[in-house]
Amino acid sequence: MNKSKNNLIYLLFFSLIVLSETTSYAQNKELKKFESDFDNLNYNTRIEVLNRINQKELSLSEKALFEHLYGKTHYLNSSGAGAVEHFVKSREIYLQIGDYDKATELSLTLAEQKRLSGYKYEDYKPLLDEAITYAEKTKNPKLLCATYKEIGVSISEIEPFKAIQFYQKGNKIAIKNKEHVFEIKFNGNIGVAYCEHIKDQKKARYFQNLSLALSKKYNFQEGIAYAYVNLASVCRNEKKFDEALEYYRLAQEVKFDNYRTNYDIIVYQYISDTYRQMGNYKLALEYLDKKKKIEKEFSDQEETKIIRDINTKYETQKKELENQALKIKDEKNKLVIYGFIGIFLIFLTGAYFRISHINRKKKIAEQERLLESQKLENVLKEQELLEIDKLLEGQEKERLKIANDLHDNLGSILATLRLNFQNLYQQSGYSSEDQKELFTKTDDLIEEAYQKVRGMAHAKNAGVIGNEGLVTAVQNIAKKVAIPNKLKVEVIPFGMENRLENKLEVTLFRMIQEILTNAIKHAQASQITISLTQDTDSINIIIEDNGKGFNVKALNKNEGMGLHNIEKKVEQLNGTFNIDSFEGKGTTIIIDIPL
């Protein structure tokens, strides 16, 4: 009898374990499927699935994911207040289990929510500082992109040029790691900074068109919509109201779900403002009424949502009370089961510590191998930078040698040749008009050859000389390479009152000279603009041309060693080097160097 009873207890114990594991597995499977399908579901379906999942059957990591997805559901439905509670819970669990990537993502989201709620930058700056420290330490591309983007947006109004620097740093990482959505957003944000804060509508339009082209290329509907809205803002600043309205019409036709309610409210407000600027107050009022109607519907939905959440909590609490009543009846039997579970847990604990010890030894060995690899990589990088310095120094010496040879040797020879030719002709005289014309043409050709050699010598020997400084040197070379009615070269300095260290000025000048030479030789441009901007802690160089452009990804490094060397030299100076070019649409090269 006792033996049968013991067998029954064993059977019950293992049945409960199997049932618990099966239920837990089912919950886990549904949550994972929900996470993978999340972006393709609408708000109501997301809420329905979340309410169906039993949180008690989830592990800690699954609970963190559950709260994260619950908060994200509210957030993407323009309900920041409803999302915060879930985000905070999720972040606490992620920190508890050591998933710092997810915790940092939520820090950024909470910082964004505070920004949108009207908090001062100083109030949520600690969240961003924490995120950037962790992202730069781990070199996580997505976290770096998200952090640079949020910092840029936060300071865009007060420090637009600094914000653009953060956008450009993030964009370089996005391009390198094929994070196309971030690449689209960074270009859009740069365009907004130029449009709204710097008031440079030409550059704003360029970056918004770039964002639109990338959005269409990667079929990112949300990016297409916001690019149209931002292009409309550029048109409004240029007083092109009809073109702005056309962009708003295109923006309304784009289909996407995230933040759709807020998006429609903003677009209707912008359309109303545009009609008001045009003096059409009837249509301005009509779109203002449409905006208010959506706001009212959204407010009603929020109330319904709150009631539904309260009802869900009530039903959950009721079910918990019923389960508790059933648990009391089985308390005695569970005591026996708990005993077996305790023994099983002791066994698992021993196995866990044993496996942890083995894994720790493997991890230490792996870290040692990684450190050795990093040391070797650093040595190779230092050697590469040293070789580039030597190459640039050699190019500089060779440039001066060629210039001196052209001027002192070939120039002198051509000048002497012309004098001898003139003396020879004067001594022999001329007997016909044909001979006179032949002499004149030959004399002109010798003079043209002399002037070209002299010009090449001056161009090769141009540079940052004496007290001229970088701006004067760039302006001088711009005048020398410009061709009337064919090629216009414009230099735009901003904040360049203070001289830089001479070695840095020479390096920057040679970079600009190399890029300018490439543009003249290959781009077939009619206009080149060189913008030099100096802040308190950095210098920014933008070189734009309206030439034929090229495919940056298809650039052969062996054919473009000048650009490759410039990029390496910029990296050595802890700066950033970006090329934006499309075939048929010109080229923009951006260099940022910290001071």
Side-chain angles (χ1 to χ4, degrees), residues 162-174:
K162 193 171 182 180
I164 288 174
Q165 289 178 2
F166 277 108
Y167 294 147
Q168 289 169 344
K169 285 173 70 176
N171 194 37
K172 184 175 181 181
I173 295 169

Side-chain angles (χ1 to χ4, degrees), residues 302-325:
E302 285 294 298
E303 290 180 6
T304 304
K305 199 188 308 175
I306 291 169
I307 293 170
R308 184 169 56 243
D309 288 344
I310 292 171
N311 185 60
T312 301
K313 289 178 180 178
Y314 168 74
E315 291 295 333
T316 302
Q317 188 177 21
K318 182 179 177 183
K319 190 173 181 180
E320 286 176 355
L321 290 172
E322 291 175 354
N323 290 336
Q324 190 174 0

Side-chain angles (χ1 to χ4, degrees), residues 542-594:
I542 300 177
I543 302 174
E544 302 174 279
D545 68 64
N546 64 348
K548 63 182 182 179
F550 62 94
N551 185 348
V552 177
K553 293 181 179 179
L555 181 65
N556 188 324
K557 288 189 176 181
N558 292 325
E559 295 175 358
M561 282 302 292
L563 293 179
H564 180 61
N565 286 341
I566 290 172
E567 182 176 14
K568 290 294 183 183
K569 187 64 181 176
V570 170
E571 288 182 1
Q572 184 184 10
L573 295 171
N574 296 318
T576 59
F577 179 83
N578 292 307
I579 303 176
D580 287 315
S581 183
F582 291 95
E583 293 182 5
K585 294 189 177 180
T587 300
T588 298
I589 295 179
I590 301 173
I591 299 173
D592 278 298
I593 304 291

